[in-house]
Coordinates of all heavy atoms in Angstrom, one line a residue:
F540 N 114.5 -145.3 -83.7 CA 113.9 -144.0 -84.0 C 114.9 -142.9 -83.8 O 115.7 -142.9 -82.9 CB 112.5 -143.7 -83.2 CG 111.6 -144.9 -83.3 CD1 110.8 -145.3 -82.2 CD2 111.3 -145.5 -84.5 CE1 110.0 -146.4 -82.3 CE2 110.4 -146.6 -84.7 CZ 109.7 -147.0 -83.5
H541 N 114.5 -141.8 -84.5 CA 115.3 -140.4 -84.3 C 114.2 -139.4 -84.0 O 113.3 -139.3 -84.8 CB 116.1 -140.1 -85.6 CG 117.1 -141.1 -86.0 ND1 118.3 -141.2 -85.4 CD2 117.0 -142.2 -86.7 CE1 119.1 -142.2 -85.8 NE2 118.3 -142.9 -86.7
L542 N 114.4 -138.6 -83.0 CA 113.5 -137.6 -82.5 C 114.0 -136.3 -83.1 O 115.2 -135.9 -82.9 CB 113.4 -137.6 -81.1 CG 112.4 -136.6 -80.4 CD1 111.0 -137.0 -80.9 CD2 112.4 -136.8 -78.9
V543 N 113.2 -135.7 -83.9 CA 113.6 -134.3 -84.6 C 112.5 -133.3 -84.3 O 111.4 -133.5 -84.1 CB 113.7 -134.5 -86.1 CG1 114.0 -133.2 -86.8 CG2 114.7 -135.6 -86.5
H544 N 113.1 -132.0 -84.0 CA 112.1 -130.8 -83.8 C 111.6 -130.4 -85.1 O 112.2 -130.3 -86.1 CB 112.9 -129.7 -83.2 CG 112.1 -128.5 -82.9 ND1 112.1 -127.5 -83.7 CD2 111.2 -128.2 -81.9 CE1 111.2 -126.6 -83.2 NE2 110.7 -127.0 -82.2
C545 N 110.3 -130.2 -85.0 CA 109.5 -129.7 -86.1 C 108.8 -128.3 -85.8 O 108.2 -128.4 -84.8 CB 108.5 -130.8 -86.5 SG 107.3 -130.2 -87.8
P546 N 108.9 -127.3 -86.6 CA 108.3 -126.1 -86.2 C 106.8 -126.2 -86.1 O 106.2 -127.1 -86.9 CB 108.6 -125.1 -87.5 CG 110.0 -125.8 -88.0 CD 109.8 -127.2 -87.8
T547 N 106.2 -125.5 -85.3 CA 104.7 -125.8 -85.1 C 103.9 -125.6 -86.4 O 102.9 -126.3 -86.7 CB 104.1 -124.7 -84.0 OG1 104.9 -125.0 -82.8 CG2 102.8 -124.9 -83.7
E548 N 104.3 -124.6 -87.2 CA 103.5 -124.3 -88.4 C 103.6 -125.4 -89.5 O 102.8 -125.5 -90.4 CB 104.1 -122.9 -89.1 CG 105.5 -123.0 -89.5 CD 106.5 -122.5 -88.5 OE1 106.0 -122.4 -87.2 OE2 107.6 -122.1 -88.8
D549 N 104.6 -126.4 -89.2 CA 104.7 -127.6 -90.2 C 104.3 -128.8 -89.4 O 104.3 -130.0 -90.0 CB 106.2 -127.7 -90.6 CG 106.6 -126.4 -91.5 OD1 105.8 -125.9 -92.2 OD2 107.8 -126.0 -91.4
M550 N 103.7 -128.7 -88.2 CA 103.3 -129.9 -87.5 C 102.1 -130.5 -88.0 O 101.0 -130.0 -87.8 CB 103.3 -129.6 -86.0 CG 102.8 -130.7 -85.0 SD 103.5 -132.3 -85.3 CE 105.1 -132.1 -84.8
I551 N 102.1 -131.5 -88.8 CA 100.9 -132.0 -89.4 C 99.8 -132.5 -88.4 O 98.5 -132.3 -88.6 CB 101.1 -133.2 -90.5 CG1 102.2 -132.6 -91.5 CG2 100.0 -133.7 -91.1 CD1 102.7 -133.8 -92.3
A552 N 100.4 -133.1 -87.3 CA 99.3 -133.6 -86.2 C 98.6 -132.4 -85.5 O 97.7 -132.6 -84.9 CB 100.2 -134.4 -85.3
D553 N 98.9 -131.1 -85.8 CA 98.3 -130.0 -85.2 C 96.8 -130.1 -85.6 O 95.9 -129.6 -84.8 CB 99.0 -128.8 -85.6 CG 98.7 -127.7 -84.5 OD1 98.7 -127.9 -83.3 OD2 98.7 -126.5 -85.0
I554 N 96.5 -130.5 -86.8 CA 95.1 -130.5 -87.3 C 94.2 -131.5 -86.5 O 93.1 -131.4 -86.6 CB 95.1 -130.7 -88.8 CG1 93.8 -130.2 -89.5 CG2 95.4 -132.1 -89.2 CD1 93.6 -130.2 -91.0
L555 N 94.9 -132.5 -85.9 CA 94.2 -133.5 -85.2 C 94.1 -133.1 -83.7 O 93.4 -133.9 -83.0 CB 95.0 -134.8 -85.2 CG 95.3 -135.4 -86.7 CD1 96.3 -136.5 -86.6 CD2 94.1 -135.7 -87.3
T556 N 94.6 -131.9 -83.2 CA 94.4 -131.5 -81.9 C 93.7 -130.4 -81.6 O 93.3 -130.1 -80.4 CB 95.8 -131.4 -81.2 OG1 96.4 -130.4 -81.9 CG2 96.6 -132.7 -81.4
K557 N 93.3 -129.6 -82.6 CA 92.6 -128.3 -82.4 C 91.9 -127.8 -83.6 O 92.2 -128.1 -84.6 CB 93.7 -127.2 -81.9 CG 94.8 -127.0 -82.9 CD 95.8 -125.9 -82.4 CE 96.6 -126.4 -81.3 NZ 97.5 -127.4 -81.5
P558 N 90.8 -126.9 -83.3 CA 89.9 -126.5 -84.3 C 90.6 -125.4 -85.1 O 90.3 -124.2 -84.8 CB 88.8 -126.0 -83.6 CG 89.2 -125.7 -82.2 CD 90.2 -126.6 -81.9
L559 N 91.5 -125.6 -86.0 CA 92.2 -124.5 -86.7 C 91.4 -123.9 -87.7 O 90.3 -124.4 -88.2 CB 93.4 -125.3 -87.6 CG 94.5 -125.9 -86.7 CD1 95.5 -126.7 -87.7 CD2 95.2 -125.0 -85.8
Q560 N 91.8 -122.6 -88.0 CA 91.0 -121.7 -88.9 C 92.0 -121.2 -90.0 O 93.2 -121.2 -89.7 CB 90.2 -120.7 -88.2 CG 89.2 -121.2 -87.1 CD 88.0 -121.7 -87.7 OE1 87.4 -121.0 -88.5 NE2 87.5 -122.9 -87.3
G561 N 91.5 -120.6 -91.0 CA 92.3 -119.8 -91.9 C 93.3 -120.6 -92.7 O 93.2 -121.8 -92.9
P562 N 94.3 -120.0 -93.2 CA 95.3 -120.5 -94.2 C 96.1 -121.8 -93.5 O 96.3 -122.7 -94.2 CB 96.3 -119.4 -94.3 CG 95.5 -118.2 -94.2 CD 94.6 -118.6 -93.1
Q563 N 96.2 -121.7 -92.1 CA 97.0 -122.9 -91.6 C 96.1 -124.1 -91.6 O 96.7 -125.3 -91.9 CB 97.2 -122.6 -90.0 CG 98.1 -123.6 -89.4 CD 99.5 -123.7 -89.8 OE1 99.9 -123.1 -90.7 NE2 100.2 -124.7 -89.2
F564 N 94.8 -124.1 -91.5 CA 93.9 -125.3 -91.7 C 94.1 -125.8 -93.0 O 94.3 -127.1 -93.2 CB 92.5 -124.8 -91.5 CG 91.4 -126.0 -91.8 CD1 91.4 -127.0 -90.9 CD2 90.8 -125.9 -92.9 CE1 90.4 -128.1 -91.2 CE2 89.9 -126.9 -93.3 CZ 89.8 -128.1 -92.4
F565 N 93.9 -125.0 -94.1 CA 94.1 -125.5 -95.5 C 95.4 -126.1 -95.8 O 95.6 -127.1 -96.5 CB 93.7 -124.4 -96.5 CG 92.3 -123.9 -96.3 CD1 92.0 -122.6 -95.9 CD2 91.2 -124.7 -96.6 CE1 90.8 -122.2 -95.7 CE2 89.9 -124.2 -96.4 CZ 89.6 -123.0 -96.0
K566 N 96.5 -125.5 -95.2 CA 97.9 -126.0 -95.4 C 98.0 -127.5 -94.9 O 98.5 -128.4 -95.5 CB 98.9 -125.0 -94.7 CG 100.3 -125.6 -94.7 CD 101.2 -124.7 -94.0 CE 102.6 -125.3 -93.8 NZ 103.5 -124.5 -93.1
L567 N 97.6 -127.4 -93.6 CA 97.7 -128.8 -92.9 C 96.7 -129.9 -93.4 O 97.0 -131.0 -93.3 CB 97.5 -128.7 -91.3 CG 98.6 -127.8 -90.7 CD1 98.4 -127.9 -89.2 CD2 99.9 -128.3 -91.0
R568 N 95.5 -129.4 -93.9 CA 94.6 -130.4 -94.5 C 95.2 -131.0 -95.8 O 95.1 -132.2 -95.9 CB 93.3 -129.6 -94.9 CG 92.2 -130.6 -95.5 CD 91.0 -129.8 -95.8 NE 91.2 -129.0 -97.0 CZ 90.3 -128.2 -97.6 NH1 89.0 -128.3 -97.1 NH2 90.4 -127.5 -98.7
A569 N 95.9 -130.2 -96.6 CA 96.6 -130.8 -97.7 C 97.6 -131.8 -97.4 O 97.9 -132.7 -98.1 CB 97.2 -129.6 -98.5
L570 N 98.4 -131.5 -96.3 CA 99.3 -132.4 -95.8 C 98.8 -133.7 -95.2 O 99.3 -134.8 -95.5 CB 100.3 -131.7 -94.8 CG 101.2 -130.7 -95.5 CD1 101.9 -129.8 -94.3 CD2 102.3 -131.2 -96.3
V571 N 97.8 -133.5 -94.3 CA 97.4 -134.7 -93.7 C 96.6 -135.6 -94.6 O 96.6 -136.9 -94.5 CB 96.4 -134.4 -92.4 CG1 94.9 -134.0 -93.0 CG2 96.2 -135.4 -91.4
L572 N 96.0 -135.1 -95.7 CA 95.3 -135.9 -96.7 C 96.3 -136.4 -97.8 O 96.0 -137.3 -98.5 CB 94.2 -135.1 -97.4 CG 93.0 -134.7 -96.6 CD1 92.0 -133.9 -97.3 CD2 92.3 -135.9 -96.0
G573 N 97.5 -135.9 -97.8 CA 98.5 -136.4 -98.7 C 98.4 -135.6 -100.1 O 99.2 -136.2 -101.0
N574 N 97.6 -134.6 -100.2 CA 97.7 -133.8 -101.4 C 98.8 -132.9 -101.6 O 99.2 -132.5 -102.7 CB 96.5 -132.9 -101.5 CG 95.1 -133.7 -101.4 OD1 95.1 -134.8 -102.2 ND2 94.1 -133.3 -100.7
A575 N 99.7 -132.9 -100.5 CA 101.0 -132.3 -100.5 C 102.0 -133.1 -99.7 O 101.5 -133.7 -98.8 CB 101.0 -130.8 -99.9
V576 N 103.1 -133.1 -100.0 CA 104.1 -133.9 -99.4 C 105.2 -133.1 -98.7 O 105.7 -132.1 -99.4 CB 104.9 -134.8 -100.4 CG1 106.0 -135.7 -99.7 CG2 104.0 -135.8 -101.2

C-alpha cells in the first residue's frame, strides 16, 4: 500500500463520520455514491 495525504475537503470518508451540512454534504454524497469520480 501507499499512504497519501488527502485534503479534508476531498476526504470521502468524512461523510461517514459526522453529520455534514451544506455544499460539503452534497459534494461528498456524490463521491460516496459514485455519481462523481
Side-chain angles (χ1 to χ4, degrees):
F540 303 136
H541 298 274
L542 187 60
V543 176
H544 178 260
C545 174
T547 300
E548 60 269 20
D549 296 324
M550 173 50 65
I551 303 175
D553 205 34
I554 199 173
L555 303 173
T556 66
K557 54 181 68 70
L559 297 174
Q560 305 279 311
Q563 185 68 1
F564 171 77
F565 296 114
K566 172 187 174 179
L567 295 186
R568 183 181 72 178
L570 288 169
V571 79
L572 293 177
N574 297 319
V576 179

